[in-house]
Amino acid sequence: MTDEWIRIAAPATTSNIGAGFDVFGLALHEPYDIIEGRKIDSGVVISEISGPGSESIPTDPEKNSVGIAAAEVLRRCEADFGIELRIKKGIRPCSGIGSSGASAAGGAYVAHILCGEMLSPKELVLCAAHAEDVTSGGFHADNVAPCILGGFTIIRSYEPFDVMTIKPPEDLGIVIAMPDVLVATKEARAILPHEVSVKDMVFQIGNAASMVYGMMSGDMKVIARSVNDAFSEPHRAQLVPYLKEAESVAKSNGAIASFLGGSGPCIISFFNKSSHEGEHIAESIRAMYDEHEMKCDTWITEPGSGCRRI
Ligand code: HSE
């Protein structure tokens, strides 16, 4: 048995966003992975992987986040068929903008459609998060949640799992800068401390709470001053050459905030779309890396919807 191919765009996401470690996530309009799937008699087969960094991605479906997430959906739906998958990476692995999360979410989403859309959005997020757990060394859903649900997402609790979404302000523009260095999420998680001080906890709660206020009210100034992190970025800065310089250059050239995207190395800068500063910010970060003889790719984007059929 084979069936028609279903094609899904699974977008990049940025997570943490200052103080929301493993809690906040934001779907980006681009870049995105394309995941294709069709029914087969049984099993999970990955027949093609292409795009940037695809040579490092395992084709074994039990080690590949698309395959793991799709298999989890088939299992939960008690499907009496298998799935063949094709993966076109638009998001390089080890980028800090949810590359494995997009693949996991896309795999879950395509299997969900083939199964007749029996699962709730929350169950779908959990299937994709299961794949993240296997491939990135920690159960975190702050990339797969926005990738499936779209917008700005908040994971209130992992057990029991509770996630909510907020529509981000229309004015929010985003520059992604990806310096030419790889950071594996597993390693970036391994260097984090296991305990935090009361002082840092109070700082994180204050900034996270005000970020939610900013996203809900659309107050870009509140969003800008809430992007602060006393927990993960200070430890991970060592993994990304010239991170602080890039953030500072972005802010001197029109960004309202600039920070490490997820576990890095991407640097995310927020700007007000009405200022039309996106290209200027991107160019200034590229020029800074150029001076240090490092390649840096950039995208100018905005918040986006979650996985969609194309
Ligand atoms: N919240 C996760 C982390 C996201 O920072 O490790 C990884 O992309």
Side-chain angles (χ1 to χ4, degrees), residues 15-16 21-22 140 142-143 185 189 236 262-263:
S15 58
N16 301 344
F21 180 78
D22 281 2
H140 66 97
D142 50 339
N143 291 110
T185 300
R189 291 180 83 81
R236 289 170 165 176
S263 53

Side-chain angles (χ1 to χ4, degrees), residues 5-9 34-37 88 110 308-310:
W5 288 98
I6 305 285
R7 201 162 198 248
I8 300 297
I34 294 174
I35 310 295
E36 296 172 318
K88 295 186 176 144
V110 77
R308 60 188 191 279
R309 198 165 167 179
I310 52 174

Side-chain angles (χ1 to χ4, degrees), residues 177-236:
M178 186 165 69
D180 194 14
V181 56
L182 302 177
V183 174
T185 300
K186 207 177 237 179
E187 284 158 34
R189 291 180 83 81
I191 62 171
L192 296 177
H194 293 279
E195 290 179 359
V196 294
S197 66
V198 171
K199 183 170 168 249
D200 285 350
M201 180 192 70
V202 171
F203 181 85
Q204 295 291 100
I205 293 172
N207 281 284
S210 62
M211 175 62 77
V212 173
Y213 175 87
M215 286 288 172
M216 292 194 77
S217 63
D219 189 327
M220 298 281 279
K221 288 187 178 152
V222 173
I223 291 174
R225 66 174 192 268
S226 305
V227 180
N228 295 297
D229 179 12
F231 173 62
S232 64
E233 184 169 327
H235 294 278
R236 289 170 165 176

Side-chain angles (χ1 to χ4, degrees), residues 152-197:
F152 179 80
T153 52
I154 303 165
I155 297 168
R156 183 197 64 80
S157 155
Y158 277 87
E159 286 183 54
F161 190 68
D162 189 12
V163 59
M164 49 203 84
T165 60
I166 295 174
K167 191 173 179 299
E170 298 283 341
D171 288 340
L172 184 59
I174 301 164
V175 175
I176 307 167
M178 186 165 69
D180 194 14
V181 56
L182 302 177
V183 174
T185 300
K186 207 177 237 179
E187 284 158 34
R189 291 180 83 81
I191 62 171
L192 296 177
H194 293 279
E195 290 179 359
V196 294
S197 66

